Amino acid sequence: ALTPVQFADLAESIAREGAALAARRRAEGVEVADRKSSIVDVVTAADREVEELVRRRIAEARPDDGFHGEESGSGTGTSGYTWVVDPIDGTVNYLYGSDVYGVSIGVVRGEPDPTTWEPVAGIVVQPATGTVFRGAVGAGATRDGVPLRVAAPASLAETLVATGFGYTADRRREQVAVLAGLIGEVRDVRRGGAASLDCCAVGAGTVDAYYERGINPWDMAGGAVVAAEAGATVRIWDAGGTRSFLFAAPAVADGLEALVRRLEREVLGG
Ligand code: IPD
């Protein structure tokens, strides 16, 4: 088997190739190709094309590994390793010409389930800026080769929290209701539009925490390794039948989790 660093090397070269294709396609002009869970949940031809490229490259290099992608579903392997891929995370930003989108690749051992998998390596490339976030378990996290470390907020009141809303109306209302309680207790709230980059932002210390309900394995597989290897605490729990995800600087992780859980109980009952 490869070491985590070797997996990260391979994932990085594949993610860079995917990022170059995503950037090229956007320069040519992007349109909505399809809608998924709701009218706002869009997919472009580039999402599919980048995932096909990434999937092909993984199969060429690691034919026995499993694959779990946002656009093309799952294939189980025999090696015990699974590649969890979001070809374009932040598709709405991609469509609108924003730089805040990423190609995300995570390598895990086990099923593509963040509550049970064992993380190995994660890469998030931001094509518009060329930034490469990288994490290899046991070897730390970097941004463009420079080691990353989470921030150390002194209190909840000084904690900057990133979040996201998902695509269904009910989920959005719940999340906003929880945030209505949260915003009075923390420094401020940010909504960037790409879960993978929100995870990396925790690792880089450009936010102190990232909280969202109902994100998918591919949204966070790559960025979670970056965050954790930079020292972040990762917590996943069930609230009202939907998973809540929290990536946070250790100094505030317990306090933030307790606050968010209390607010979720108020909003969701139970
Ligand atoms: C979405 C983005 C967004 C988050 C959503 C994700 P996509 O991924 O990461 O920030 O709030 O929950 O589904 O659809 O752009 O790949």
Side-chain angles (χ1 to χ4, degrees):
L2 302 182
T3 65
V5 168
Q6 289 169 324
F7 269 114
D9 288 342
L10 179 59
E12 182 175 336
S13 79
I14 295 173
R16 281 176 182 274
E17 201 184 338
L21 177 60
R24 221 159 48 234
R25 288 291 175 263
R26 193 166 79 170
E28 293 163 7
V30 180
E31 280 172 30
V32 173
D34 215 343
R35 294 185 158 79
K36 299 191 284 187
S37 61
S38 74
I39 192 166
V40 293
D41 187 3
V42 296
V43 61
T44 72
D47 290 79
R48 290 175 175 155
E49 202 186 345
V50 173
E51 183 158 317
E52 266 165 44
L53 172 69
V54 167
R55 190 171 188 152
R56 193 163 66 242
R57 289 287 180 265
I58 294 167
E60 284 162 8
R62 300 279 308 171
D64 298 331
D65 292 356
F67 182 88
H68 188 67
E70 170 161 27
E71 314 303 339
S72 65
S74 278
T76 43
T78 53
S79 66
Y81 291 93
T82 303
W83 294 67
V84 185
V85 173
D86 193 340
I88 297 178
D89 179 45
T91 302
V92 174
N93 285 345
Y94 183 72
L95 190 63
Y96 276 74
S98 157
D99 288 356
V100 187
Y101 72 96
V103 175
S104 174
I105 300 181
V107 183
V108 302
R109 275 182 73 91
E111 300 294 309
D113 177 347
T115 62
T116 59
W117 72 32
E118 192 188 310
V120 176
I123 300 289
V124 181
V125 178
Q126 195 179 347
T129 58
T131 308
V132 177
F133 292 96
R134 175 182 158 116
V137 169
T142 55
R143 176 180 52 207
D144 298 334
V146 178
L148 293 182
R149 200 65 212 157
V150 289
S155 66
L156 267 185
E158 292 155 284
T159 297
L160 185 61
V161 184
T163 193
F165 299 112
Y167 289 117
T168 64
D170 286 349
R171 174 83 46 73
R172 288 175 165 190
R173 283 189 204 101
E174 285 165 17
Q175 183 85 4
V176 169
V178 173
L179 291 172
L182 192 67
I183 190 121
E185 310 289 329
V186 298
R187 171 164 268 153
D188 208 342
V189 171
R190 296 282 181 269
R191 198 287 193 252
S196 60
L197 290 168
D198 290 326
C199 293
C200 294
V202 176
T206 53
V207 296
D208 297 306
Y210 164 50
Y211 160 66
E212 184 171 344
R213 288 166 50 69
I215 54 174
N216 295 294
W218 51 78
D219 296 318
M220 47 70 77
V225 182
V226 175
E229 282 298 309
T233 300
V234 181
R235 300 268 165 80
I236 304 170
W237 66 89
D238 182 89
T242 299
R243 278 182 183 160
S244 290
F245 293 78
L246 177 68
F247 305 83
V252 291
D254 288 340
L256 197 53
E257 181 183 345
L259 172 60
V260 165
R261 282 181 181 249
R262 176 169 65 70
L263 294 166
E264 286 178 342
R265 278 195 299 276
E266 286 170 17
V267 170
L268 302 163

